Amino acid sequence: QVQLVESGGGLVQPGGSLRLSCAASGSIFSIYDMGYYRQAPGKQRELVATITRDSNTDYADSVKGRFTISRDNAKNTVYLQMNSLKPEDTAVYCCKIEYRRSRWSDRYNYWGQGTQVTVSS
């Protein structure tokens, strides 16, 4: 089994910052892409940012210049630093990993349960 422990969400005022983290553990041989997605009430889930094992990153246009994704491969952990937060960033943020259970297994995706981020004055 795989576990993803997410932390760092909460309530913040517009212009503030939060740092999300997502730590993976369990039956993991190797992790490839890691990323964060978000879903606001009444909207579809959308990609926020992804990072490859070699730390190549990709961001949604709406967060470029404000959010930074990073990872620590030794800790199987991904981080999302969110600065200059706006009310429209309010959503449930979920992390996702792509991983192998063994050297010979297929790649699988696994989702975290999500953490609420609310940006409001």
Side-chain angles (χ1 to χ4, degrees):
Q1 287 187 342
V2 173
Q3 296 83 39
L4 293 179
V5 178
E6 301 185 71
S7 61
L11 172 64
V12 64
Q13 292 187 341
S17 298
L18 285 174
R19 188 190 193 211
L20 306 183
S21 64
C22 175
S25 63
S27 301
I28 296 171
F29 171 74
S30 184
I31 298 177
Y32 299 92
D33 289 359
M34 306 180 84
Y36 275 95
Y37 295 72
R38 68 186 181 187
Q39 186 166 19
K43 294 187 177 181
Q44 289 188 333
R45 183 169 61 195
E46 63 175 354
L47 179 148
V48 177
T50 60
I51 184 168
T52 69
R53 186 166 180 83
D54 296 329
S55 294
N56 294 310
T57 58
D58 188 32
Y59 296 92
D61 287 342
S62 59
V63 307
K64 283 180 181 176
R66 300 188 297 123
F67 292 10
T68 302
I69 191 168
S70 61
R71 63 190 284 171
D72 184 332
N73 290 332
K75 296 181 179 179
N76 285 345
T77 299
V78 61
Y79 306 95
L80 185 69
Q81 178 67 43
M82 304 185 293
N83 298 328
S84 303
L85 282 160
K86 304 175 181 179
E88 51 263 42
D89 294 318
T90 296
V92 175
Y93 285 69
C94 293
C95 67
K96 187 188 81 169
I97 65 168
E98 181 189 25
Y99 74 104
R100 284 186 198 273
R101 297 171 182 169
S102 71
R103 185 184 302 275
W104 303 277
S105 77
D106 292 332
R107 296 189 184 191
Y108 298 93
N109 291 324
Y110 194 84
W111 290 85
Q113 290 188 334
T115 184
Q116 177 70 45
V117 171
T118 301
V119 184
S120 175
S121 55

